[in-house]
Amino acid sequence: DDLAKADAQVDSILHRLERQYVELDPKAKFVVKSQRKDLPLLDYLGTWSWDEAKYPKSRSIPDMLSYAMSTVNHIDEEARNKTMQFNDFKTQMSNLAKKDAANLAGRDLIDVLTPDKVKADGGPDDDFISTEHLTTIPVIVPRGGEEEFLKMYETMQENVVPRSARQFKGIDDKDGNSLWRVVMFRSAVEGFKKVCREKRFAVREFEYNKDGYVKLEQQRKNVEESVKRQRDLVHGLYQASWSDVFVAWMHIKAMRVFVESVLRFGMPPSFASFIMSPKGDTALARKALADILGKQAGAMSTSMSETADGDDEFFPYVSLSFMPFAVNRDGK
């Protein structure tokens, strides 16, 4: 029972690692590293032998199973932790990423009002004026609304600086919206915003800072580099983890075959085990095996078939199915 439970648990862990590996790299290569050899899966299965170094035969089956599960659970925990770290970095990158929205209302103005677009020489003619009493408000004006905006913005609220409206050239969107700035006393801001909403002009909260833009760009670069490093680390981890878990899985399968064969055919052990991958109709392959091995089982086959649970299919041989891969890759 413990072997069956461990088998199912390792199956789940292995295929989760497979799925994560393929999601990270659709061209992922699955190679089994065992006994100092790197082998394609079919070569590994075709030449499989018990790894005496990892699982000494002097140990009992419960001890070997405990060791195998301890190894697999440790691998699983490490993979989970590294995946969490990788996802945290990806979240940071997503939060800092440029928002390439279709219109100005959905974009982050720090990526629109860049140093090459904004006049900031430190003089009175700068695009953004910010003093103890004055501030600058960006306004998105819809297509065709420029004339109306210029006629009314000075009277939308008291303490708006006359003739301070200025369009940022070369900044618009697919809908033809344009971006302007208006200078006013800080006391006028809330009232100005309210009238803009009523007139369907969109006010954006933004305070231009060249150093802030440079700092953000550097932060983005640092996070992107961290994501790349973490991706490379996780890529190698998934590859190695999948291999190590698969090796452990095959040894658990071998232990199950041995135990169930002894339970069925008795002691001393006198049986052989094989890995088979039927091509075509599995039912026909089962029938062929039953025709051959049923004769070997003799009366035992008949008696066990009669006492088998009605919900369980009985074979005159010990059979454990497994699926190395669960994710469809490149149509395979």
Side-chain angles (χ1 to χ4, degrees), residues 225-296:
E225 290 174 351
S226 295
V227 168
K228 184 179 182 303
R229 286 196 301 270
Q230 285 292 321
R231 184 193 180 282
D232 292 342
L233 187 153
V234 170
H235 186 280
L237 178 67
Y238 287 162
Q239 189 177 56
S241 296
W242 181 88
S243 172
D244 291 343
V245 171
F246 191 85
V247 169
W249 196 34
M250 289 302 97
H251 283 77
I252 291 172
K253 289 285 188 186
M255 285 187 272
R256 280 194 71 189
V257 168
F258 177 81
V259 170
E260 294 191 22
S261 296
V262 167
L263 289 174
R264 180 180 297 195
F265 302 116
M267 293 290 286
S270 180
F271 44 77
S273 58
F274 302 89
I275 295 175
M276 300 187 66
S277 178
K279 292 184 178 179
D281 192 333
T282 301
L284 290 177
R286 291 281 191 193
K287 184 178 183 304
L289 284 172
D291 290 344
I292 297 170
L293 299 177
K295 297 174 184 178
Q296 304 294 326

Side-chain angles (χ1 to χ4, degrees), residues 99-118:
K99 296 178 177 62
D100 296 324
N103 54 54
L104 288 170
R107 298 180 66 183
D108 192 332
L109 290 188
I110 198 168
D111 294 315
V112 175
L113 295 170
T114 55
D116 60 315
K117 300 286 187 181
V118 176

Side-chain angles (χ1 to χ4, degrees), residues 151-162:
K151 283 182 179 179
M152 67 171 55
Y153 81 90
E154 293 179 357
T155 58
M156 285 182 177
Q157 189 70 20
E158 291 184 0
N159 298 324
V160 174
V161 177

Side-chain angles (χ1 to χ4, degrees), residues 4 21 87 236:
Y21 189 16
N87 288 336

Side-chain angles (χ1 to χ4, degrees), residues 8-295:
Q9 183 180 347
V10 175
D11 185 326
S12 175
I13 292 171
L14 181 80
H15 290 125
R16 185 176 65 252
L17 287 169
E18 175 201 358
R19 183 180 66 255
Q20 291 173 326
Y21 189 16
V22 173
E23 287 175 354
L24 184 70
D25 180 6
K27 296 182 179 180
K29 293 182 179 180
F30 291 86
V31 176
V32 181
K33 299 177 183 290
S34 176
Q35 302 185 49
R36 300 182 180 180
K37 294 180 182 178
D38 292 353
L39 298 171
L41 178 67
L42 292 180
D43 290 349
Y44 171 72
L45 293 176
T47 60
W48 188 88
S49 62
W50 187 270
D51 190 342
E52 180 72 20
K54 280 189 175 180
Y55 304 95
K57 293 178 182 177
S58 58
R59 290 182 179 176
S60 66
I61 288 179
D63 285 346
M64 286 191 289
L65 177 61
S66 177
Y67 170 75
M69 291 309 299
S70 174
T71 300
V72 169
N73 288 328
H74 175 74
I75 291 170
D76 183 38
E77 183 179 1
E78 183 179 14
R80 287 175 183 271
N81 290 337
K82 294 300 182 183
T83 299
M84 189 179 300
Q85 292 175 17
F86 179 53
N87 288 336
D88 285 344
F89 276 110
K90 287 199 298 182
T91 300
Q92 290 180 40
M93 187 170 72
S94 177
N95 291 338
L96 293 172
K98 294 181 179 180
K99 296 178 177 62
D100 296 324
N103 54 54
L104 288 170
R107 298 180 66 183
D108 192 332
L109 290 188
I110 198 168
D111 294 315
V112 175
L113 295 170
T114 55
D116 60 315
K117 300 286 187 181
V118 176
K119 184 175 182 180
D121 300 325
D125 197 38
D126 283 356
D127 285 328
F128 281 86
I129 305 297
S130 181
T131 68
E132 182 181 354
H133 300 291
L134 293 175
T135 189
T136 305
I137 300 298
V139 182
I140 299 172
V141 178
R143 174 189 291 176
E146 295 85 359
E147 185 175 348
E148 179 186 6
F149 175 71
L150 290 173
K151 283 182 179 179
M152 67 171 55
Y153 81 90
E154 293 179 357
T155 58
M156 285 182 177
Q157 189 70 20
E158 291 184 0
N159 298 324
V160 174
V161 177
R163 302 176 64 181
S164 64
R166 180 187 297 175
Q167 182 180 2
F168 290 100
K169 299 298 183 181
I171 299 178
D172 53 18
D173 59 26
K174 71 177 186 66
D175 296 326
N177 299 321
S178 56
L179 186 62
W180 297 67
R181 64 78 141 154
V182 178
V183 180
M184 64 193 70
F185 281 82
R186 295 184 183 276
S187 59
V189 171
E190 292 306 318
F192 185 81
K193 287 180 181 179
K194 183 175 182 297
V195 177
C196 277
R197 285 193 296 270
E198 293 171 354
K199 300 297 182 180
R200 297 189 178 180
F201 301 125
V203 174
R204 296 293 305 275
E205 298 284 349
F206 181 73
E207 186 172 341
Y208 178 77
N209 185 301
K210 181 179 179 180
D211 292 339
Y213 173 82
V214 172
K215 183 179 179 181
L216 177 62
E217 286 294 283
Q218 185 60 49
Q219 190 177 1
R220 284 172 173 167
K221 182 178 178 181
N222 293 341
V223 172
E224 286 175 4
E225 290 174 351
S226 295
V227 168
K228 184 179 182 303
R229 286 196 301 270
Q230 285 292 321
R231 184 193 180 282
D232 292 342
L233 187 153
V234 170
H235 186 280
L237 178 67
Y238 287 162
Q239 189 177 56
S241 296
W242 181 88
S243 172
D244 291 343
V245 171
F246 191 85
V247 169
W249 196 34
M250 289 302 97
H251 283 77
I252 291 172
K253 289 285 188 186
M255 285 187 272
R256 280 194 71 189
V257 168
F258 177 81
V259 170
E260 294 191 22
S261 296
V262 167
L263 289 174
R264 180 180 297 195
F265 302 116
M267 293 290 286
S270 180
F271 44 77
S273 58
F274 302 89
I275 295 175
M276 300 187 66
S277 178
K279 292 184 178 179
D281 192 333
T282 301
L284 290 177
R286 291 281 191 193
K287 184 178 183 304
L289 284 172
D291 290 344
I292 297 170
L293 299 177
K295 297 174 184 178

